[in-house]
Amino acid sequence: MSHFNTLARISRIACLLALAVHACVLYADDAAMVTSQNGETAENVTVDRRDDLAAVQEQILRSAAKTLPSVVGLRVNRMVVASGVVVSADGLVLTAGHVTTQAGLDVEFFFPDGKLARGKTLGACKWADAAMAKITDPGPWPFSPMAERDTFAVDDWVFAFGHSLGLIVNRPPPLRIGRIILVQPDTIQTDCSIVVGDSGGPLFNLAGEVIGVNSRISGMDDRPDRTFHVSINAFWNHYDRLLDGEVWETDATGRYYESLNTQLQESVRDILPMTVRIGSESTQNRPARGNNQRQRRQPPGQPQTVFTNHALGLIVSGDGFIATKAGEVMNRQNLVCVLTTNGREERYPATMVAVDHGYDMALLKIDKTGLPAFDGNSDKQASEVSANVLPIGTFVVTPVPNGQVPVVFGTVSVSERSIPAENPMIGTSIDSSSSGQGARVIQTLPRSPAAAVGLRQNDRITKVNDTNIDNCADLTQFLSKTKAGDELKLTVRRGNQMLTMTLRAAEAQDSADRRNTMNLGGAFGVSRVRDGFPTVLQHDTALQPADCGGPLVSLDGRLLGINIARAGRTETYAIPVAKFRQIVETLQERAKQPPATETPLNQE
């Protein structure tokens, strides 16, 4: 691999004049003549002044034309469409780790001139988001060289290519320009804008060397000019492993990785056969095969069944009863429970037969008998250890069948406690001194539910739904039992008029401010129902919302509870096993009754 001279660092001399003048020099005479692997030569022009836009433009024009033929679109397993760059004449391709899932997958490579090549995926370091693929059709192929390690710095001008929004007929991969904002060991941040489809596309220095590949956009704000790229350092650091087809998460001994799998698998050995994945199935038309750069008509797509994950569940009866989190499965069509036996999946349609709204628990029924089930009378499965005597710091383990990580664990964070529902708002200030004739409105907050339906100052709320309201205390008490999203029908006296207004309660503004994006779980998100529980224990296991509803066990395999909500970045809630058993017994009794006779459970 040829070694290109690096771009010279800026040397700025401040002059104490009325107008500060910065000198800039283009060292064309000293440019290094570099011979690439295909025998061509190119000038590596060094730019001493990065603020000389004309010089930067000239170099980008030259390097963009030289590098564009090496930029490829990737279609992996005829599904994932992304970008990449060829870095050797025999067809080695760099791309992003999230583009590939494993080694040996079929890949189609689409060149800007319309040529199509075929190959396979190689290795992927998911931690660094770096991956390789290889064109197996005979070459040689146009390519761009990889830069050496650490040959870039903050303020360097760069340009990126990628198939923004996917492969588009008669459109080559668009070019974007920018500068390096931040350099980290495996990551480069720039202000080159990228979007879906650009993943894996190359980031070049002005000399036309690959210094990284497009990885992701910033989640910290809405600006389009904050972009992260996998540094070329990551590819050099893991070059042999990637080339050999190894796929791995990280070499670090984090708590969710392979180093602990043996211990954790033993902890969930008994409970795993009782743990099921719950989702819904829908039928969609399969996209027609072939890429959209081919202009011939494609045959109609074939129907395919799509499974969407919603929650985990625990089998509580051998004749097909399964307990799960209600908030993630209610009002879902075509519910399906996925059972895994000896590595083989079996899918059964499921029907919801009873719900406990206080604990957000649901009981499902599938047409299957002879199932391994939670035994409430077993000392091992029905541990009576109450969460309030579990020492803080006790390890807890959650099996996640068909999850990205099969087993995760955390620690008890807070002793058993209740989680009150967040008081919702309607967006009014109420006169606390008035008594009788309704709750008098002092002020309506802008952009609130009350403002949206036209509630005004001096209006008196005399009834909410079927409850009479005489004063501020009555209204406050009613709202304390209301959840955000509940529909409220207000009866309002305005002078001599009686009006009816219908609105939906919103999350209280101070609560919304506290629950900022970071606290709401980051990329994981949070459960739909995450408060209002009479009794839970809190632990720090980082679960997806769709991984709630299943069992929580101790290191020795005892059932401690059921994960019921992902409530924030640092908090997951579980219903203690003793309470869970009571809920299941009541739900099973209710399931035997006709639907018309169902009544809400009495909660503590």
Side-chain angles (χ1 to χ4, degrees):
M1 185 68 66
S2 299
H3 178 68
F4 282 70
N5 294 336
T6 61
L7 298 179
R9 298 290 179 90
I10 297 177
S11 176
R12 297 183 178 178
I13 302 176
C15 300
L16 300 178
L17 303 173
L19 178 65
V21 179
H22 299 285
C24 66
V25 180
L26 180 64
Y27 290 97
D29 293 340
D30 296 332
M33 301 302 295
V34 181
T35 303
S36 65
Q37 295 184 27
N38 57 13
E40 297 179 353
T41 59
E43 289 185 348
N44 179 16
V45 180
T46 58
V47 181
D48 188 58
R49 275 286 318 168
R50 291 184 180 89
D51 290 337
D52 186 340
L53 294 181
V56 173
Q57 175 184 254
E58 180 63 27
Q59 186 65 357
I60 288 178
L61 287 171
R62 182 181 309 176
S63 295
K66 179 179 64 176
T67 57
L68 177 61
S70 67
V71 182
V72 291
L74 277 71
R75 186 166 60 189
V76 181
N77 261 14
R78 293 188 173 273
M79 294 178 62
V80 177
V81 178
S83 304
V85 58
V86 185
V87 294
S88 69
D90 61 351
L92 181 63
V93 175
L94 306 186
T95 188
H98 66 269
V99 172
T100 65
T101 57
Q102 62 189 71
L105 298 178
D106 293 329
V107 184
E108 293 173 303
F109 302 90
F110 302 93
F111 285 84
D113 61 3
K115 289 182 180 179
L116 169 67
R118 292 177 173 80
K120 297 285 186 179
T121 57
L122 297 178
C125 176
K126 296 183 179 180
W127 179 260
D129 200 27
M132 287 183 178
K134 184 70 164 60
I135 301 174
T136 54
D137 289 344
W141 302 101
F143 72 96
S144 296
M146 296 169 62
E148 295 296 331
R149 292 181 178 88
D150 300 318
T151 53
F152 42 83
V154 171
D155 285 341
D156 282 356
W157 282 97
V158 291
F159 64 96
F161 278 113
H163 288 277
S164 307
L165 302 179
L167 302 170
I168 296 178
V169 175
N170 296 327
R171 187 206 69 177
L175 178 142
R176 270 83 19 108
I177 59 107
R179 297 174 84 163
I180 294 178
I181 298 171
L182 178 68
V183 174
Q184 295 177 319
D186 292 324
T187 306
I188 300 172
Q189 186 180 15
T190 75
D191 56 6
C192 285
S193 60
I194 66 171
V195 74
V196 173
D198 283 318
S199 293
L203 182 71
F204 291 105
N205 61 20
L206 293 188
E209 300 171 308
V210 180
I211 63 170
V213 301
N214 303 327
S215 178
R216 64 195 186 277
I217 62 175
S218 173
M220 298 179 64
D221 52 43
D222 295 326
R223 295 184 60 174
D225 58 347
R226 293 293 183 268
T227 300
F228 293 95
H229 313 262
V230 184
S231 165
I232 201 67
N233 292 356
F235 287 96
W236 283 124
N237 293 340
H238 307 301
Y239 190 92
D240 291 337
R241 298 174 71 178
L242 293 170
L243 197 63
D244 290 342
E246 185 177 349
V247 178
W248 72 101
E249 290 282 351
T250 180
D251 293 327
T253 55
R255 63 172 172 164
Y256 301 125
Y257 298 107
E258 294 180 359
S259 62
L260 300 174
N261 268 356
T262 300
Q263 298 178 61
L264 299 181
Q265 290 287 354
E266 181 61 24
S267 298
V268 302
R269 177 172 53 86
D270 293 336
I271 204 73
L272 187 59
M274 310 171 199
T275 308
V276 302
R277 171 69 65 183
I278 302 169
S280 57
E281 289 186 339
S282 60
T283 301
Q284 301 178 7
N285 287 329
R286 184 186 300 275
R289 290 188 173 186
N291 91 90
N292 58 6
Q293 289 200 12
R294 297 180 182 178
Q295 299 186 30
R296 59 185 176 84
R297 298 179 66 87
Q298 297 291 343
Q302 299 297 318
Q304 63 176 343
T305 300
V306 177
F307 180 85
T308 303
N309 286 332
H310 297 316
L312 295 180
L314 182 66
I315 301 172
V316 295
S317 172
D319 57 354
F321 284 104
I322 297 170
T324 187
K325 178 173 174 59
E328 300 297 332
V329 299
M330 289 185 67
N331 302 319
R332 306 282 192 180
Q333 301 296 318
N334 305 317
L335 282 177
V336 172
C337 290
V338 181
L339 282 62
T340 303
T341 305
N342 297 324
R344 182 171 57 89
E345 287 188 1
E346 297 179 354
R347 297 190 177 190
Y348 298 92
T351 303
M352 185 177 298
V353 294
V355 178
D356 176 350
H357 293 285
Y359 277 98
D360 198 34
M361 291 291 303
L363 191 65
L364 307 183
K365 182 69 169 64
I366 63 174
D367 187 14
K368 176 70 173 176
T369 59
L371 297 173
F374 163 75
D375 182 359
N377 296 317
S378 167
D379 291 338
K380 183 174 181 61
Q381 292 184 20
S383 170
E384 289 292 349
V385 178
S386 177
N388 59 10
V389 298
L390 278 178
I392 293 175
T394 300
F395 284 170
V396 291
V397 187
T398 297
V400 186
N402 304 319
Q404 293 183 344
V405 181
V407 185
V408 294
F409 87 100
T411 187
V412 173
S413 303
V414 182
S415 297
E416 183 178 327
R417 63 192 176 113
S418 64
I419 305 295
E422 294 283 357
N423 289 333
M425 73 162 188
I426 59 175
T428 60
S429 297
I430 302 296
D431 183 359
S432 60
S433 63
S434 64
S435 181
Q437 301 182 353
R440 187 175 73 87
V441 176
I442 298 176
Q443 181 184 14
T444 298
L445 301 180
R447 298 182 298 278
S448 67
V453 298
L455 203 62
R456 302 177 186 173
Q457 184 180 19
N458 291 324
D459 284 349
R460 289 182 177 269
I461 302 171
T462 61
K463 182 181 289 188
V464 181
N465 295 345
D466 296 324
T467 301
N468 291 324
I469 304 295
D470 288 332
N471 48 45
C472 178
D474 288 347
L475 181 60
T476 301
Q477 183 178 7
F478 184 92
L479 292 178
S480 69
K481 301 176 182 179
T482 303
K483 292 186 177 181
D486 286 352
E487 186 175 89
L488 305 178
K489 182 179 179 181
L490 308 183
T491 301
V492 178
R493 181 187 298 277
R494 178 177 296 167
N496 295 326
Q497 293 180 293
M498 294 300 296
L499 307 175
T500 300
M501 303 175 181
T502 301
L503 53 78
R504 289 190 180 276
E507 188 174 13
Q509 190 61 46
D510 58 345
S511 173
D513 290 341
R514 290 196 307 270
R515 292 184 177 275
N516 52 46
T517 300
M518 179 175 290
N519 188 50
L520 287 183
F524 279 18
V526 293
S527 299
R528 293 182 177 184
V529 179
R530 56 184 182 272
D531 56 31
F533 304 114
T535 304
V536 296
L537 70 87
Q538 179 177 326
H539 56 100
D540 76 337
T541 309
L543 289 181
Q544 303 273 3
D547 294 335
C548 291
L552 183 75
V553 302
S554 61
L555 285 180
D556 60 359
R558 291 176 300 139
L559 183 66
L560 297 177
I562 296 296
N563 292 311
I564 199 59
R566 178 66 172 166
R569 184 178 179 88
T570 63
E571 52 194 337
T572 299
Y573 300 146
I575 301 173
V577 63
K579 175 56 63 178
F580 170 68
R581 185 173 63 243
Q582 295 174 13
I583 295 171
V584 168
E585 290 174 353
T586 306
L587 290 177
Q588 288 177 320
E589 287 297 320
R590 184 183 300 174
K592 300 174 183 178
Q593 303 173 6
T597 65
E598 288 191 3
T599 57
L601 287 178
N602 292 324
Q603 302 299 338
E604 296 178 351

